[in-house]
Amino acid sequence: MHARLDHLVCWVSDPGASVDFYEQVVGLPGVRAAEFRDGMAPFPSVRVSPETILDLMSFEAMRGVDEGTGVRGSAGHPINHLCLAVGKEDFDALQVRLKQHGVEITGNGANSFGAQGIAPETMFFPDPDGNVIEVRYYE
Protein backbone atom coordinates (compact mmCIF):
# COMPACT_ATOMS: atom_id res chain seq x y z
CA MET A 1 0.00 0.00 0.00
CA HIS A 2 1.21 3.48 -0.83
CA ALA A 3 -0.34 6.01 1.53
CA ARG A 4 0.07 9.76 1.94
CA LEU A 5 -0.99 12.02 4.78
CA ASP A 6 -4.04 13.95 3.60
CA HIS A 7 -4.83 16.13 6.64
CA LEU A 8 -4.53 16.57 10.38
CA VAL A 9 -7.15 18.27 12.55
CA CYS A 10 -6.12 20.56 15.41
CA TRP A 11 -8.68 21.73 17.97
CA VAL A 12 -8.36 25.48 18.38
CA SER A 13 -10.21 28.10 20.40
CA ASP A 14 -10.35 30.69 17.60
CA PRO A 15 -9.99 29.31 14.05
CA GLY A 16 -9.61 32.82 12.57
CA ALA A 17 -6.75 33.71 14.92
CA SER A 18 -5.19 30.30 14.36
CA VAL A 19 -5.24 30.60 10.57
CA ASP A 20 -3.63 34.06 10.95
CA PHE A 21 -0.89 32.52 13.14
CA TYR A 22 -0.18 29.69 10.70
CA GLU A 23 -0.19 32.09 7.73
CA GLN A 24 1.72 35.05 9.19
CA VAL A 25 4.07 33.38 11.68
CA VAL A 26 4.60 29.84 10.43
CA GLY A 27 4.29 30.81 6.76
CA LEU A 28 1.71 28.24 5.60
CA PRO A 29 -0.89 29.51 3.11
CA GLY A 30 -4.52 29.51 4.17
CA VAL A 31 -7.10 27.26 2.53
CA ARG A 32 -10.76 28.36 2.66
CA ALA A 33 -9.80 31.10 5.13
CA ALA A 34 -11.83 33.77 3.32
CA GLU A 35 -14.75 31.35 2.96
CA PHE A 36 -14.59 30.63 6.69
CA ARG A 37 -14.57 34.34 7.56
CA ASP A 38 -17.59 34.83 5.26
CA GLY A 39 -19.47 31.97 6.96
CA MET A 40 -19.29 29.76 3.87
CA ALA A 41 -16.94 27.08 5.30
CA PRO A 42 -17.19 25.41 8.72
CA PHE A 43 -13.45 25.76 9.43
CA PRO A 44 -10.28 27.05 7.75
CA SER A 45 -7.18 25.05 6.90
CA VAL A 46 -3.57 25.76 6.00
CA ARG A 47 -1.60 23.99 3.29
CA VAL A 48 1.45 22.03 4.45
CA SER A 49 2.31 20.55 1.04
CA PRO A 50 0.54 19.97 -2.28
CA GLU A 51 -0.98 16.81 -0.75
CA THR A 52 -1.47 17.76 2.92
CA ILE A 53 -3.47 20.33 4.87
CA LEU A 54 -3.91 21.14 8.55
CA ASP A 55 -7.56 21.75 9.52
CA LEU A 56 -8.15 24.29 12.30
CA MET A 57 -11.40 23.24 13.93
CA SER A 58 -13.10 25.04 16.79
CA PHE A 59 -13.31 23.43 20.22
CA GLU A 60 -17.06 23.98 19.87
CA ALA A 61 -17.16 21.37 17.10
CA MET A 62 -15.52 18.90 19.50
CA ARG A 63 -18.49 19.12 21.89
CA GLY A 64 -21.08 17.94 19.39
CA VAL A 65 -21.39 15.41 16.63
CA ASP A 66 -19.70 16.43 13.40
CA GLU A 67 -22.51 16.41 10.86
CA GLY A 68 -20.14 15.41 8.07
CA THR A 69 -18.56 12.41 9.76
CA GLY A 70 -20.92 11.38 12.55
CA VAL A 71 -17.94 11.37 14.91
CA ARG A 72 -18.39 12.91 18.37
CA GLY A 73 -15.47 14.96 19.69
CA SER A 74 -11.88 13.83 19.63
CA ALA A 75 -10.74 10.29 19.15
CA GLY A 76 -9.45 10.59 22.71
CA HIS A 77 -5.81 10.10 21.86
CA PRO A 78 -3.73 13.23 22.39
CA ILE A 79 -1.02 14.03 19.89
CA ASN A 80 2.36 14.96 21.31
CA HIS A 81 3.30 17.27 18.41
CA LEU A 82 3.24 17.67 14.65
CA CYS A 83 6.42 18.11 12.66
CA LEU A 84 7.01 20.14 9.50
CA ALA A 85 10.08 19.63 7.33
CA VAL A 86 11.31 22.75 5.51
CA GLY A 87 14.47 23.91 3.77
CA LYS A 88 17.32 25.46 5.79
CA GLU A 89 16.53 29.00 4.56
CA ASP A 90 12.88 28.64 5.58
CA PHE A 91 13.97 27.22 8.95
CA ASP A 92 16.16 30.28 9.59
CA ALA A 93 13.46 32.70 8.39
CA LEU A 94 10.89 31.04 10.65
CA GLN A 95 13.13 31.57 13.68
CA VAL A 96 13.15 35.29 12.85
CA ARG A 97 9.35 35.43 12.42
CA LEU A 98 8.79 33.58 15.70
CA LYS A 99 10.94 36.14 17.50
CA GLN A 100 9.20 39.06 15.75
CA HIS A 101 5.81 37.74 16.87
CA GLY A 102 6.94 36.98 20.43
CA VAL A 103 6.56 33.20 20.06
CA GLU A 104 8.92 31.33 22.37
CA ILE A 105 10.98 28.47 20.95
CA THR A 106 10.41 25.93 23.73
CA GLY A 107 12.91 23.32 22.61
CA ASN A 108 15.69 22.54 20.17
CA GLY A 109 17.22 19.34 18.95
CA ALA A 110 20.10 18.10 16.87
CA ASN A 111 20.58 14.97 14.80
CA SER A 112 16.96 13.98 15.24
CA PHE A 113 15.51 11.00 13.36
CA GLY A 114 12.47 11.56 11.16
CA ALA A 115 10.73 10.41 7.99
CA GLN A 116 13.62 11.53 5.76
CA GLY A 117 16.50 10.38 7.97
CA ILE A 118 18.52 12.50 10.37
CA ALA A 119 17.74 16.22 10.67
CA PRO A 120 20.71 18.27 11.82
CA GLU A 121 18.53 20.82 13.63
CA THR A 122 14.98 21.03 14.97
CA MET A 123 12.94 23.52 17.00
CA PHE A 124 9.68 23.32 18.91
CA PHE A 125 7.12 26.05 19.63
CA PRO A 126 3.43 26.27 20.55
CA ASP A 127 0.61 27.58 18.43
CA PRO A 128 -1.92 29.92 20.11
CA ASP A 129 -3.79 26.92 21.59
CA GLY A 130 -0.72 25.12 22.91
CA ASN A 131 -0.46 22.58 20.07
CA VAL A 132 3.25 21.81 19.84
CA ILE A 133 4.89 22.25 16.44
CA GLU A 134 8.30 20.89 15.56
CA VAL A 135 10.06 22.28 12.50
CA ARG A 136 13.19 20.69 11.05
CA TYR A 137 15.29 20.62 7.93
CA TYR A 138 17.28 17.87 6.23
CA GLU A 139 20.53 18.36 4.38
Side-chain angles (χ1 to χ4, degrees), residues 55-96:
D55 294 336
L56 305 170
M57 194 171 292
S58 170
F59 288 127
E60 296 304 313
M62 178 174 59
R63 292 185 176 86
V65 174
D66 182 308
E67 297 300 325
T69 65
V71 174
R72 178 178 295 280
S74 174
H77 303 284
I79 294 175
N80 181 272
H81 69 276
L82 64 94
C83 181
L84 303 174
V86 301
K88 174 70 166 118
E89 284 183 22
D90 288 331
F91 183 88
D92 293 340
L94 176 56
Q95 286 181 322
V96 171

Side-chain angles (χ1 to χ4, degrees), residues 109-128:
N111 301 316
S112 180
F113 178 76
Q116 299 177 51
I118 302 295
E121 198 173 355
T122 67
M123 65 177 151
F124 296 83
F125 57 91
D127 78 359

Side-chain angles (χ1 to χ4, degrees), residues 16-28:
S18 291
V19 78
D20 289 345
F21 174 82
Y22 281 94
E23 285 179 325
Q24 297 169 17
V25 179
V26 180
L28 299 177

